[in-house]
Amino acid sequence: MSRTIAYWGSTGVVSVMLMMSLMYLTGSEQVVAGFAKAGYPQHLRVVLGIAKPLAGVVLLAPGLALVKEWAYACVTFTWLMASLSANLSGEPPQVWMMPIALLALLAVSYVTRPASRRIRMLASA
């Protein structure tokens, strides 16, 4: 039971945070300035504004085990790079530690996911 709570709690928080990336598509001054400060092109903001919410939906959806593996991997890479980028851009620790904290929740989600949300391995001959 506690494994189920850990899975759904961590997956829910991670998915909500990923869905919040839809704000990248608004073109708000704060988001545009953040990407510019980090030296990223604005089209990356648009790509992430579409891809991250889709990853959040995939993590919550039933089935799609292989797509979930890709979502976990891509979100891991994205949050590692976000943390590194924020740190190298001179942001204070509370900014660049947020992706690390979310990455820890993502790890809990990945480790505690039920068998129905895992890729089935083929038995060796």
Side-chain angles (χ1 to χ4, degrees), residues 57-81:
V57 170
V58 166
L59 292 181
L60 291 174
L64 307 170
L66 182 60
V67 181
K68 282 185 198 319
E69 290 290 329
W70 279 96
Y72 278 114
C74 291
V75 171
T76 298
F77 178 77
T78 301
W79 281 341
L80 282 173
M81 293 299 102

Side-chain angles (χ1 to χ4, degrees), residues 57-115:
V57 170
V58 166
L59 292 181
L60 291 174
L64 307 170
L66 182 60
V67 181
K68 282 185 198 319
E69 290 290 329
W70 279 96
Y72 278 114
C74 291
V75 171
T76 298
F77 178 77
T78 301
W79 281 341
L80 282 173
M81 293 299 102
S83 180
L84 181 63
S85 176
N87 187 349
L88 294 175
S89 295
E91 296 290 345
Q94 61 266 30
V95 172
W96 56 264
M97 287 301 291
M98 178 58 97
I100 299 298
L102 290 170
L103 194 55
L105 282 175
L106 186 70
V108 170
S109 172
Y110 186 79
V111 169
T112 60
R113 70 196 193 285

